[in-house]
């Protein structure tokens, strides 16, 4: 009878340890998922404003701004306050898009690297390759890198996305200005 009792205690203890291990794995996976969701937000920003579109806008702004500036200088025209404000706003959009273009590839590369690292960390959580403390050490390092990328992407990509409609309005007004200057020249 005592053999069966000891065997029963061993089985109960093993089940309890397995349940605790499963709980730890689920907790670790939830931590990883929070980081993964941050990375998916960055990916969403990248998808929403593709590099080609950013480059195109940057080039259009540069061309239109330089064209209008050249005509005003050649004709020695006085720039009124409203036009000056419009052109400053327009040039600022160019700066936003230029910064996004310059940072786009580094953001993509870092995003891809972090996704691979999170995938590896997730596989390690499933297989319990690390003790809890070791897992947390790796997790906090990844968390620091993910939050750093997220913050950087937010300061570089979000403004390009957030100014989309305002850019289009300014673009229309600048094109009308350029057309007006062109028709006066002929």
């Amino acid at each position: 009878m005592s053999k069966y009792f000891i065997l029963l205690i061993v089985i109960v203890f093993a089940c309890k340890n397995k349940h605790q291990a499963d709980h730890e794995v689920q907790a670790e996976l939830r931590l990883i998922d929070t980081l993964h969701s941050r990375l998916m937000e960055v990916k969403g920003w990248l998808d929403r404003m593709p590099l080609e579109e950013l480059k195109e806008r940057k080039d259009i702004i540069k061309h239109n701004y330089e064209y209008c500036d050249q005509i005003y200088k050649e004709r020695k025209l006085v720039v009124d306050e409203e036009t000056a404000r419009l052109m400053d706003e327009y040039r600022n959009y160019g700066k936003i898009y230029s910064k996004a273009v310059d940072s786009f590839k580094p953001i993509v590369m870092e995003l891809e690297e972090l996704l691979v690292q999170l995938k590896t960390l997730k596989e390690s959580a499933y297989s319990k390759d690390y003790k809890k403390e070791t897992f947390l050490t790796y997790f906090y390092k990844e968390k620091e890198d993910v939050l750093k990328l997220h913050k950087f992407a937010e300061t570089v990509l979000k403004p390009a996305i957030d100014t989309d409609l305002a850019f289009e309005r300014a673009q229309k007004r600048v094109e009308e200005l350029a057309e007006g200057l062109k028709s006066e020249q002929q």
Side-chain angles (χ1 to χ4, degrees), residues 68-69 71-80 181 184:
C68 291
D69 188 50
I71 298 297
Y72 271 89
K73 285 180 180 176
E74 283 177 2
R75 295 188 194 162
K76 297 181 182 169
L77 298 172
V78 177
V79 180
D80 62 88
L181 291 171
E184 287 177 14

Side-chain angles (χ1 to χ4, degrees), residues 49-167:
M49 190 65 73
L51 181 58
E52 296 75 29
E53 187 174 342
L54 291 167
K55 284 180 180 178
E56 182 180 340
R57 287 182 179 200
K58 176 185 156 189
D59 293 342
I60 288 171
I61 290 169
K62 182 177 186 249
H63 175 268
N64 287 344
Y65 185 86
E66 288 174 355
Y67 175 78
C68 291
D69 188 50
Q70 177 187 353
I71 298 297
Y72 271 89
K73 285 180 180 176
E74 283 177 2
R75 295 188 194 162
K76 297 181 182 169
L77 298 172
V78 177
V79 180
D80 62 88
E81 188 177 330
E82 183 182 336
T83 302
R85 252 194 316 260
L86 170 64
M87 296 309 284
D88 283 345
E89 175 188 344
Y90 194 62
R91 186 173 43 187
N92 285 334
Y93 294 133
K95 291 175 185 177
I96 289 170
Y97 294 129
S98 181
K99 188 174 181 181
V101 165
D102 294 344
S103 302
F104 198 89
K105 286 183 182 177
I107 290 172
V108 169
M109 291 172 57
E110 182 70 13
L111 174 69
E112 289 173 353
E113 183 178 316
L114 287 170
L115 285 171
V116 168
Q117 290 171 353
L118 284 184
K119 182 180 177 189
T120 303
L121 194 59
K122 195 172 206 173
E123 290 169 358
S124 297
Y126 275 121
S127 62
K128 294 302 290 170
D129 290 344
Y130 305 120
K131 292 181 181 179
K132 184 177 180 178
E133 296 77 24
T134 306
F135 170 83
L136 289 174
T137 300
Y138 287 125
F139 170 78
Y140 287 124
K141 173 63 178 130
E142 295 307 318
K143 179 180 179 182
E144 180 183 325
D145 293 343
V146 167
L147 293 178
K148 183 178 173 185
L149 175 66
H150 187 273
K151 184 176 177 89
F152 179 67
E154 187 172 33
T155 61
V156 171
L157 299 175
K158 276 287 269 159
I161 293 166
D162 292 346
T163 60
D164 192 37
L165 293 175
F167 162 76

